[in-house]
Amino acid sequence: MQPKFNVWLEQDGQVVLSLWRVQLLETIAATGSISAAAKQLDIPYRRAWEKVQEIEQGLGTPVVVTAIGGTGGGGAQLTPAGKQAIAQFYILIVGLAEELEERYHHAFPSTDQSL
């Protein structure tokens, strides 16, 4: 057996940040585009855009700014608040896997790890 966990942050019962949403923001930053990020993550553009809007609603601030396409094409980049949200989420979760593993071994000291 192995312990597993998933962490997300909610506001009024609605998911605001999760590892998947943070990865979406990171992919937007890396690709410079919501549509390119959606394609890379193999999700519809509409879903990516909806998730960005949910993050912004929950945080109460824009996390992505977009530029309308033209001859050079449009684009998207993270706002300082978007970058901060990513950093804070990682501060929250770094070390949790190790802590969970330690607690698991304390709670189940005789469990065969090969299961």
Side-chain angles (χ1 to χ4, degrees):
M1 287 193 301
Q2 290 181 315
K4 300 291 181 184
F5 70 99
N6 192 7
V7 175
W8 63 90
L9 301 175
E10 294 183 359
Q11 175 74 17
D12 299 325
Q14 300 296 314
V15 176
V16 177
L17 283 177
S18 64
L19 186 55
W20 185 89
R21 289 176 185 223
V22 166
Q23 290 169 341
L24 170 62
L25 293 178
E26 291 174 323
T27 307
I28 292 169
T31 62
S33 163
I34 296 172
S35 61
K39 186 174 183 174
Q40 187 171 324
L41 295 171
D42 196 27
I43 60 169
Y45 170 83
R46 181 180 174 100
R47 181 169 183 219
W49 181 243
E50 287 171 350
K51 297 308 170 192
V52 168
Q53 290 178 317
E54 289 172 7
I55 294 167
E56 291 179 339
Q57 283 180 325
L59 294 178
T61 188
V63 294
V64 173
V65 290
T66 59
I68 297 174
T71 56
Q77 59 182 233
L78 298 185
T79 65
K83 293 174 185 175
Q84 181 179 2
I86 291 170
Q88 289 175 306
F89 190 81
Y90 281 124
I91 288 169
L92 173 66
I93 67 168
V94 166
L96 286 180
E98 293 82 3
E99 177 70 20
L100 180 62
E101 188 75 20
E102 184 178 313
R103 287 174 170 247
Y104 170 75
H105 289 300
H106 179 72
F108 298 92
S110 62
T111 302
D112 180 7
Q113 294 198 24
S114 64
L115 294 179

